[in-house]
Each structure stands twice: as C-alpha cells, then as structure tokens.
Amino acid sequence: MNFISGMLQDLLNILFSFTGDLGVAIVVITLMVKLILMPLSLKQKFAMRKQQDLAEKMNDIKEKYKNNAKEMEKHLQKHSMETMKSMMGCSTILLQMPIVCALYQTFLNMPNTSPSVLIPWISSLNVSDNLFIIPCIYTLTMLAPNLISMVPYFRTSSQVMFNKQMIMSTVIMGFLLTARTPVAIGLYFITSSLYTLVEDICFRIYVKNKNNLSVN
C-alpha cells in the first residue's frame, strides 16, 4: 500500500508542476486512476447486469413452475451455476480497493496547500468546507446514479431498486463523508462520482442499444 501511495504522490507532484493548481492535479490523477481501473469496473458492471438477468429468469421459473416443484428445482439448479459465476465477476471491485485506498491516503496526507481555482471559496485544500458546498455537491453526485435509473430511457432492468430509505442513507453517508474531511478528499470523491455517473450512463446506453439490436 505504501509503495502505491508513494507512486501516486510522485505523480501528483508531477501533475502539480504542470498545472500549477493542486485542485486540478487532484482531478486529473483521479480520472487517470479511474481510466486505468475501467476494465475492472466494466467487468463488474457486466457481472451485475448478468446477475439481474438471472434473478429475473429465476423469478419467471418460480412463477411458471409454481405448481410443479420437481421441474422448478430442475430449472433453478440449471441457473444456479451461472449465478455463482456472475457473482465471482462482481468481486472484481475488491481488486480496485488497494489503489483507491492508496489514492485516498495520498490526499489525506497532503501538506498545507494553496487555494485552487476549482474551489475559490476555500483558502487551503487540507481544511474542511465550513460552507458545506462540497458535501452538498458530493451528495448530489452520489444520488445521480440512482436517479437516472428512474428515467425510462436509461432503465436496463424491469426492477428499479430505489426507495426513500436508499435516498436518505445516500444523503446522510455522502454528507458525513465530506463534511469534516479535507476539501482535497471531497474533490476526489466528487470527481470519482462524476466519472462513475458518466461511465454508468454510457454502459446503460450500450446495454439498451445491444438489446434493441438483438430484438431487431
């Protein structure tokens, strides 16, 4: 972990020397790391998508053979192996954690810094935002992926996992994560969330177009 953190710190210093703005350097290095991890992220998305499809198929099987337990068991066992394989694909997120944690640690251990043009109301990136603008922005970016699932065009599943409890937990978690942490961490979280949102929208469009082509 320390090795990765040291590499990221060196890269951050190089980017800062080019941009002259540590806030911009944080955004750039966050996007670079997200792009490097994109193959793992997409693999995870496809695995989760397959999980959703299998869950819908198994629900259909239960409904179709609700009066025939033997046939139901036969078909459910057939799909159980596929479910296990797709769950292994979802575990790719664990491979991303060391790099993400090292990046977080790099920003957390930054020395005193000058203000950034991206956040002009803050005097230093290693202090918290007393105006709570950063926490509010991050909370909105966290909610966005859940909100776009409500838009029919971007919906990739007939089941929309969205409720009031999810909204409240997302709002509280997002606000608490950035309310008293250095602004540099908040900037990292916001950049990461916006990238994830764009990636998710592109993935949904890809899945929708692929489904349309298979139907046609």
Side-chain angles (χ1 to χ4, degrees), residues 6-71:
M7 288 181 59
L8 291 173
Q9 182 66 60
D10 291 340
L11 179 58
L12 185 63
N13 292 334
I14 293 172
L15 291 172
F16 176 60
S17 66
F18 275 103
T19 62
D21 188 309
L22 193 56
V24 175
I26 289 173
V27 171
V28 173
I29 194 174
T30 303
L31 292 176
M32 288 174 66
V33 170
K34 296 295 284 186
L35 286 171
I36 291 171
L37 296 176
M38 185 172 64
L40 293 177
S41 177
L42 290 177
K43 185 176 180 180
Q44 178 192 347
K45 287 182 183 297
F46 279 111
M48 292 178 67
R49 171 63 186 173
K50 190 173 181 180
Q51 276 281 83
Q52 292 177 355
D53 291 340
L54 289 172
E56 291 178 7
K57 285 181 181 179
M58 294 182 85
N59 287 334
D60 292 339
I61 288 171
K62 290 177 182 178
E63 180 64 26
K64 184 177 180 180
Y65 298 105
K66 59 183 178 181
N67 297 321
N68 190 334
K70 187 176 180 179
E71 282 296 315

Side-chain angles (χ1 to χ4, degrees), residues 169-182:
S169 62
T170 301
V171 169
I172 294 171
M173 183 172 67
F175 197 86
L176 291 178
L177 273 173
T178 50
R180 290 303 173 190
T181 55

Side-chain angles (χ1 to χ4, degrees), residues 186-204:
L187 193 57
Y188 155 67
F189 279 138
I190 290 172
T191 305
S192 182
S193 291
L194 288 174
Y195 174 89
T196 301
L197 174 62
V198 172
E199 185 182 80
D200 191 45
I201 290 175
C202 294
F203 177 77
R204 288 170 182 269

Side-chain angles (χ1 to χ4, degrees), residues 122-161:
I122 299 294
S123 60
S124 176
L125 295 184
N126 67 337
V127 300
S128 59
D129 184 0
N130 292 328
L131 298 177
F132 300 108
I133 296 175
I134 292 295
C136 289
I137 294 175
Y138 178 56
T139 301
L140 291 174
T141 60
M142 279 190 71
L143 278 174
N146 294 318
L147 294 174
I148 63 171
S149 65
M150 302 297 292
V151 179
Y153 180 79
F154 294 118
R155 194 176 300 161
T156 59
S157 173
S158 58
Q159 298 177 338
V160 180
M161 303 299 294

